Amino acid sequence: MSASTSYEHATVGSGRWVSPSGRPERVTVAVYAADPILRVGVVQQLRHRPEVDLLADTDAEGAQVSLVVVDNVEDDVAALLHRLRLNSATRVGLVVGTLGSGALQRVIECGVSAVLRRAEADQDRLVHLVLATANGEGVLPGDLLGKLLSHVGSLQRSALDPQGLSLSTLTTREADMLRLVSEGLDTAEIARKTAYSERTVKNVLHEIITRLQLRNRTHAVGYALRNGLI
């Protein structure tokens, strides 16, 4: 899929949230999905909640919550998330099949703070995600929250000691990609594992090699291993 892909789209209202006045109100939701099957599955889960109201597609831009449902975070999905972020009327929640640590960083950069894995997306969890998103609350599976906290800690250490040979020398994304290189994966395989495009993988690895003044990927892996970076 490319960034210009036309996502299957439906709009619904779901759940209750706390308005600025403190009164519970319905939440309007726009559902974006990569294919009709994903869309129908989520809409059917939300449709029969007593709090749900269906809206016309033309009202999608004014939805309080935009719910994006995908298998993984590719470039076209990131483009959609970025576009939705520019809409001040909506907050974005994500229902995703697989999400590695690199993709998590990408999602956070797109302004998404509420994430649910598709395998766990039953009716109650979907409604909880919608309500939390509408209220501006963060929702992450426990393991992803741990990865996020680790990444934030890495950034803090990097700011305090940017020249030090420690884990802060590499970002989480860089370390993940170098670790995959050390396991013998090529560019295409790393892209699939991390949910980045092949171009992004090449750019990240090139940045590591250039910044650390190394010769090639093999040299970079050896350097990282010697210094305990991966």
Side-chain angles (χ1 to χ4, degrees), residues 188-225:
E189 291 169 327
I190 294 172
R192 286 194 294 271
K193 283 272 190 180
T194 59
Y196 284 96
S197 68
E198 292 186 32
R199 176 178 294 181
T200 297
V201 172
K202 291 177 181 177
N203 288 343
V204 169
L205 293 175
H206 177 73
E207 165 62 22
I208 296 170
I209 292 167
T210 301
R211 187 175 75 245
L212 300 180
Q213 299 180 348
L214 303 171
R215 294 188 299 276
N216 49 42
R217 294 185 183 187
T218 301
H219 192 192
V221 168
Y223 175 90
L225 289 171

Side-chain angles (χ1 to χ4, degrees), residues 141-159:
D143 62 311
L144 294 182
L145 178 59
K147 290 178 180 178
L148 178 61
L149 292 175
S150 175
H151 175 62
V152 171
S154 175
L155 292 178
Q156 291 174 334
R157 290 192 298 272
S158 181

Side-chain angles (χ1 to χ4, degrees), residues 16 19 78 161 163 169 224 226:
R16 291 187 179 276
S19 69
D161 185 19
Q163 301 300 322
T169 305
R226 284 193 303 275

